[in-house]
Amino acid sequence: MHRSATDPRPRVLHLAQPVEGGVAQVVLDLTKAQLAAGLRVTVACPGGELAAGARELGAEVREWHAGRSPGAALPDEVRRLARLLHEVRPELVHAHSAKAGLAGRLAVRGRVPTLFQPHAWSFEAVGGATGALALRWERWGARWADRVVCVSQAERATGVRAGIRARYTVVPNGIDTARFTPAPATERPAAAPLVVCVGRLCRQKGQDVLVRAWPEVLRRVPRARLVLVGDGPDRDALRRLAPASVEFAGAVTDVRPWYRAADLVVLPSRWEGMALAPLEAMACGRPVLVTDVDGARESLPPGHRAPCLVPPGRPGPLAGAVTGLLLDPELRASLGDRGRRHVQSTHDVRRTAEAVAELYRELLGGRPLVSSERRESIHS
């Protein structure tokens, strides 16, 4: 698709793989804000939740067939993407996560202003030769990103320490604070203490550590319940590992009821960029417990770190922290209240969208993202 000569607005292409979870939500939130501001937005991805959500918002969606991980199909994926770029003719490309960042930069090679947003570095997810290869690529591919957008200062620091020489900008993740809100007290029936873990069932999110910690939690809080909300490649292994009392809710279309019902939301990740689940939970007024990894610690408000931060990969400290919070309702209430105020002031999605828009304006040479007529209608 060629840009109309009569339409001065630049076209933004969001390129994404994966198409579910936090990455997809970030893309949808940006797409929604950019469409509302009058930009022309195209989303290229391999279908799934992201494509359906983008179409519902009114964005143009282009199917880009690509697997989640690099492999022998990569050259064909890059060629398909190059053809798509020729058709769409974007004036700015925003590539999300490792796979889209790899294929996108190979296809664009600096010919169009390009932002790369890792959403957690690829080389943290793998070890050995694969991890070394991923790091080598990130160092080399940085030349084809006009800006690397990190969602936390810690993520940026990890890239710098790894020798990735890039122009970095930190834009913390944001969530819709008007959508994620506390439930009325009348909607929280008295029941057994409920711990909820929301996220893709995979090694990164660390649900196996929480499941291993759970018997010790039950020893001290016998009526406690644990619910894992989400789906993913580790589902069957976790079911085999988990005690019978652990519940698997699967993937849900609306996670808010689970946050609002929880006495404690836990995210025991092994690595993160900045997960949305703790932000969403805090916006719902719920206390959170996360691991001391990049991005996760930065999502917490000042003063939360002592009771709400545990070392990754260690069931013992995790069980102790979960138990301590379950046995202290006054502390949980205080943490929930402070967490909501923190998210409202620091992680509202409108702040995130405006920070990204400012980057776009900079990379487009200060060119307005919308026409003067549209700006007048927005502010009238």
Side-chain angles (χ1 to χ4, degrees), residues 53-64:
R55 287 192 185 95
E56 186 175 343
L57 290 172
E60 179 188 27
V61 176
R62 292 299 189 97
E63 189 84 8
W64 172 51

Side-chain angles (χ1 to χ4, degrees), residues 216-245:
E216 177 59 21
V217 175
L218 287 179
R219 189 181 68 81
R220 296 187 58 190
V221 191
R223 296 177 61 245
R225 296 169 56 212
L226 171 61
V227 178
L228 305 183
V229 180
D231 203 350
D234 288 359
R235 177 189 56 194
D236 293 341
L238 286 168
R239 284 185 178 277
R240 291 192 295 268
L241 179 66
S245 59

Side-chain angles (χ1 to χ4, degrees), residues 137-179:
W137 154 253
E138 293 296 355
R139 288 171 175 166
W140 191 73
R143 72 190 66 192
W144 289 331
D146 295 273
R147 197 61 56 90
V148 173
V149 181
C150 294
V151 295
S152 66
Q153 292 290 349
E155 185 179 56
R156 176 190 180 279
T158 296
V160 171
R161 285 196 305 270
I164 301 169
R165 297 180 179 179
R167 294 188 65 195
Y168 291 97
T169 296
V170 176
V171 180
N173 276 340
I175 56 103
D176 185 348
T177 56
R179 180 170 181 264

Side-chain angles (χ1 to χ4, degrees), residues 182-261:
T186 54
E187 293 185 14
R188 288 185 50 76
L194 175 62
V195 175
V196 171
C197 178
V198 175
R200 188 168 184 258
L201 303 184
C202 61
R203 183 175 181 275
Q204 177 193 356
K205 299 299 182 180
Q207 290 96 344
D208 60 308
V209 183
L210 180 56
V211 165
R212 288 188 172 94
W214 194 244
E216 177 59 21
V217 175
L218 287 179
R219 189 181 68 81
R220 296 187 58 190
V221 191
R223 296 177 61 245
R225 296 169 56 212
L226 171 61
V227 178
L228 305 183
V229 180
D231 203 350
D234 288 359
R235 177 189 56 194
D236 293 341
L238 286 168
R239 284 185 178 277
R240 291 192 295 268
L241 179 66
S245 59
V246 176
E247 302 173 39
F248 289 77
V252 298
T253 56
D254 186 357
V255 76
R256 289 174 297 174
W258 285 110
Y259 289 138
R260 291 167 176 166

Side-chain angles (χ1 to χ4, degrees), residues 9-182:
R9 299 171 301 162
R11 180 177 295 281
V12 174
L13 173 66
H14 287 284
L15 176 65
Q17 168 58 294
V19 294
E20 73 285 319
V23 173
Q25 189 59 56
V26 168
V27 176
L28 290 173
D29 285 339
L30 289 175
T31 296
K32 181 179 180 180
Q34 290 162 7
L35 288 171
L39 275 70
R40 300 185 306 150
V41 180
T42 298
V43 176
C45 64
E49 297 173 13
L50 176 55
R55 287 192 185 95
E56 186 175 343
L57 290 172
E60 179 188 27
V61 176
R62 292 299 189 97
E63 189 84 8
W64 172 51
H65 296 286
R68 189 170 180 124
S69 301
L74 180 62
D76 286 338
E77 293 167 349
V78 172
R79 282 192 287 270
R80 285 195 290 268
L81 183 54
R83 288 195 294 270
L84 186 152
L85 287 163
H86 180 73
E87 295 169 1
V88 174
R89 298 281 182 95
E91 291 172 275
L92 188 145
V93 173
H94 191 155
H96 298 265
S97 205
K99 180 57 179 292
L102 169 61
R105 283 177 286 175
L106 286 172
V108 177
R109 285 176 290 169
R111 292 188 290 264
V112 176
T114 301
L115 285 82
F116 168 51
Q117 192 163 350
H119 299 279
W121 292 105
S122 58
F123 51 84
E124 292 187 294
V126 290
T130 304
L133 183 61
L135 176 56
R136 184 178 178 183
W137 154 253
E138 293 296 355
R139 288 171 175 166
W140 191 73
R143 72 190 66 192
W144 289 331
D146 295 273
R147 197 61 56 90
V148 173
V149 181
C150 294
V151 295
S152 66
Q153 292 290 349
E155 185 179 56
R156 176 190 180 279
T158 296
V160 171
R161 285 196 305 270
I164 301 169
R165 297 180 179 179
R167 294 188 65 195
Y168 291 97
T169 296
V170 176
V171 180
N173 276 340
I175 56 103
D176 185 348
T177 56
R179 180 170 181 264
F180 289 93
T181 58

